[in-house]
Amino acid sequence: MAYADACVHPYPAGDTSLPRMALEARELGFATIVSTGGAGEFFGVRAVQGVVIGARTFKDVVKAVRRAPEAALVAVCAGDESFTRSAVSLGGVHVLKGVHQGPKNAFDHVAARTAGERGVAVEIDLAPIVALRGRDRQRVLACYADILFLHRRYGFPLCIASNARSVLDQRSVREAIGLCSLFGMDGDEAGAALSSVEGLLNRPETVRVVE
């Protein structure tokens, strides 16, 4: 499988250059990274431009999606129930990001069904699993377990991201699979999630924004 880290943040958002993160990704078993700091190919690793939209209103999301580069992987940060349902139904959105940071139950059965129909992935962010401890970490794992349950029922894609801002934050394929096992994801499911980026970039649906 050609594995991809679905989001890294090189300099200037982080402290490591994009080529250096690409080199580290290669050593960790990845063929592709989605980068919020540019695109290209470095050391045999493809860096895809990633756009993260954290707009507060859906109107602003629509504007930001319209401005995104044609070849970019576009991720929208989750909000409340209504916002999240609208985000996953919007043409041009590839990934729903930060569900673990949103209100409880914001990503519900309705949003999950729509994501499945539209081919919108939900991101599993490894950073909080690594960084948090105690009750906060358990909340994140419980949220990811709920996402996994909905994924198995409605079939929307999952993607896995380190959200690294330094080479020290990047995780290997093996580590990613191990971390995902903490909330019940099996090896085949983790492998599919680590391989989902190419499919997201090549979805049949081509309409970016529905007015």
Side-chain angles (χ1 to χ4, degrees):
M1 290 185 180
Y3 295 124
D5 185 334
C7 195
V8 299
H9 307 280
Y11 182 85
D15 66 11
T16 304
S17 70
L18 177 54
R20 179 66 183 87
M21 295 190 95
L23 177 60
E24 184 70 13
R26 187 186 72 180
E27 298 303 313
L28 295 173
F30 293 96
T32 302
I33 56 176
V34 178
S35 162
T36 58
E41 185 166 331
F42 310 92
F43 307 105
V45 172
R46 178 188 178 200
V48 175
Q49 177 68 54
V51 174
V52 176
I53 299 171
R56 294 185 177 181
T57 69
F58 186 65
K59 183 177 180 180
D60 289 337
V61 170
V62 172
K63 291 179 180 177
V65 170
R66 186 182 294 122
R67 292 194 299 265
E70 190 67 29
L73 188 80
V74 179
V76 175
C77 297
D80 62 20
E81 180 181 290
S82 176
F83 182 96
T84 299
R85 289 179 179 180
S86 297
V88 297
S89 68
L90 180 63
V93 174
H94 300 100
V95 178
L96 182 68
K97 188 177 180 70
V99 174
H100 66 284
Q101 297 175 318
K104 187 176 177 61
N105 298 324
F107 185 70
D108 59 7
H109 287 262
V110 176
R113 184 183 299 110
T114 303
E117 293 169 352
R118 304 285 294 185
V120 175
V122 177
E123 181 195 76
I124 300 299
D125 181 358
L126 300 180
I129 302 179
V130 176
L132 298 178
R133 296 292 182 270
R135 186 172 298 175
D136 290 338
R137 188 174 193 245
Q138 290 304 314
R139 286 196 190 100
V140 172
L141 292 174
C143 175
Y144 290 170
D146 290 342
I147 291 171
L148 182 61
F149 171 81
L150 293 171
H151 160 73
R152 289 169 174 169
R153 181 166 183 178
Y154 295 106
F156 55 84
L158 297 175
C159 63
I160 296 173
S162 68
N163 278 292
R165 297 177 184 273
S166 164
V167 292
L168 300 176
D169 299 328
Q170 291 178 257
R171 303 295 159 193
S172 70
V173 169
R174 182 176 180 179
E175 286 177 298
I177 293 172
L179 289 168
C180 289
S181 72
L182 297 176
F183 58 88
M185 182 180 280
D186 65 34
D188 289 341
E189 289 169 328
L194 286 165
S195 307
S196 65
V197 165
E198 197 63 36
L200 294 172
L201 290 169
N202 293 286
R203 291 183 312 194
E205 183 265 334
T206 58
V207 178
R208 294 185 65 87
V209 178
V210 178
E211 298 289 353

